Amino acid sequence: MEVEVAMTLSERLNLSAFRDDAEQWLRDAVPERWRMRRSSLSPEEITAVRREWDKQLHRGGYAGLSLPREYGGQGLGLAEEVVFHELAARAHAPEGFGRIGKILTAPTLIVHGTPEQQARFLPGILSGEQVWCQGFSEPDAGSDLASVATTARRDGDGYRVTGQKIWTSFADVADRSLFLAKTNPDAPRYRNLSMLLLDMKQPGVTVRPIKQISGTSHFAEVFFEDVWVADADRLGGEGEGWKVAMTVLQNERGAIEGITRYVEMRWDLDLLLRCCAARIGRTLDAEDFDVRLELVRWQVSKAVELVDDPVAFARASSVLKVTWSELWQEMTQLAIAASCPEHRAHWRHQYLETRASSIYSGSSEIQRNIMAERVLGLPK
């Protein structure tokens, strides 16, 4: 991937050297049993590999690449972060359990956290010792995040949390949750929420995995009954949860997610072009997908170049989620129609998995509203 367009010669050479080193490290670090026989591993073995991978990243110097050194990161840029995620996807590296912690929680702690919170949580996040989940979506408040109903009522020097979250990735293994709750039911909308750093291992937390249509269980529903959160574990001021959540969502829908999805989709599209589309005379459609997929990669590169301009960066990143999620759905629809005997099982799984891609991390409808209001400046 070319992200060096706006860089100096020295920066391009440094990024090239980083890419070479990372590629070699990944060749040596990805466990052989994961690379060669992942499908035959037991759930317990898969969990062990994924936990260890987070620790390997830390030992190898690849955890927190774009986080400042004073917070335990590597002090590099978004360009290196994007390049590494692309290489890791191409190397079929395991996905650790640290994604929520490193991509969402850590940057949000740096912006909104107290020095004490940063010292307590950042080392464990970066080392892989502490797993985080994201307690945002609820049965009646998914894309309409401001309508969360889970309450955190004041109790002395903290809160008692009661309610339910759903579609929560990593909930079954998480130590902590980046958690949005209603702390003042009488306050106006957007000012009645607070962001909490909730302990998932305490009494009152019940996790129930959700079996998806594809047969996998990436998510869970989680129930909370009088769960304790101290004032020291509130991120930002009381009533500032919406502002903190916007920081989280900007990272969730950004360039790193875009390039990781690009690599997975590239494998699917190559298979479609090489074999399946030709079976039903739809090669031209697949070639159109090819152009659109490369535009995703180009848009990630553009966003990386604009990282020092927060407004321009947000605009460049805002189109990514809608672009790749809807394209992936169209690709798998064509693949299902091809009914290729050799790859039928693969496409059935991908088709079912991608049904949710235009919903999670903010539905396409919500994303289009964001682009209309914040990029195009249209009235609400």
Side-chain angles (χ1 to χ4, degrees), residues 44-275:
E44 293 76 19
E45 289 175 310
I46 290 173
T47 296
V49 169
R50 295 178 68 182
R51 281 192 177 278
E52 180 59 25
W53 183 248
D54 285 319
K55 298 173 184 178
Q56 282 182 261
L57 290 173
H58 186 251
R59 291 194 296 266
Y62 291 101
L65 289 169
S66 58
L67 296 182
R69 287 188 179 275
E70 59 265 34
Y71 296 104
Q74 301 301 317
L76 301 175
L78 181 62
E80 286 85 357
E81 193 88 63
V82 168
V83 164
F84 184 78
H85 278 79
E86 178 186 14
L87 292 174
R90 292 190 186 280
H92 299 289
E95 182 190 16
F97 291 124
R99 175 162 55 89
I100 303 297
K102 285 183 279 192
I103 296 178
L104 302 184
T105 308
T108 307
L109 278 167
I110 290 173
V111 174
H112 298 284
T114 65
E116 292 76 17
Q117 289 172 336
Q118 293 161 356
R120 281 176 62 202
F121 297 121
L122 288 174
I125 289 172
L126 294 173
S127 69
E129 296 294 336
Q130 194 172 72
V131 178
W132 286 70
C133 63
Q134 181 183 359
F136 278 27
S137 293
E138 297 182 6
D140 295 318
S143 294
D144 184 14
L145 188 59
S147 295
V148 297
T150 295
T151 60
R153 56 181 174 81
R154 172 60 66 180
D155 183 5
D157 57 353
Y159 304 91
R160 291 288 175 183
V161 175
T162 299
Q164 179 186 359
K165 298 293 180 178
I166 201 165
W167 316 126
T168 308
S169 300
F170 309 115
D172 56 331
V173 293
D175 301 292
R176 289 264 170 180
S177 176
L178 191 60
F179 195 91
L180 195 62
K182 184 180 292 185
T183 46
N184 185 351
D186 299 322
R189 183 176 166 91
Y190 302 113
R191 298 179 185 176
N192 56 355
L193 305 172
S194 298
M195 189 69 70
L196 308 174
L197 308 173
L198 185 144
D199 179 2
M200 290 288 289
K201 298 300 186 184
Q202 62 180 300
V205 179
T206 302
V207 178
R208 297 177 185 169
I210 298 171
K211 189 170 184 179
Q212 295 160 239
I213 193 173
S214 63
T216 55
S217 294
H218 297 316
F219 315 109
E221 56 182 344
V222 191
F223 299 86
F224 303 87
E225 185 176 352
D226 277 342
V227 172
W228 173 251
V229 180
D231 280 333
D233 290 341
R234 187 186 64 236
L235 185 57
E238 184 168 298
E240 295 181 352
W242 182 257
K243 180 175 72 174
V244 179
M246 292 304 98
T247 301
V248 176
L249 294 178
Q250 183 174 335
N251 290 307
E252 182 179 26
R253 301 165 181 167
I256 295 172
E257 176 78 359
I259 196 59
T260 303
R261 297 297 184 179
Y262 164 82
V263 173
E264 185 173 356
M265 291 169 68
R266 183 74 260 174
W267 282 88
D268 275 355
L269 186 53
D270 287 346
L271 179 60
L272 201 59
L273 286 164
R274 186 176 68 248
C275 175

Side-chain angles (χ1 to χ4, degrees), residues 27 29-38:
R27 278 197 294 266
V30 176
E32 189 68 16
R33 62 174 176 159
W34 181 266
R35 198 193 304 268
M36 302 302 296
R37 54 185 186 88
R38 173 174 48 182

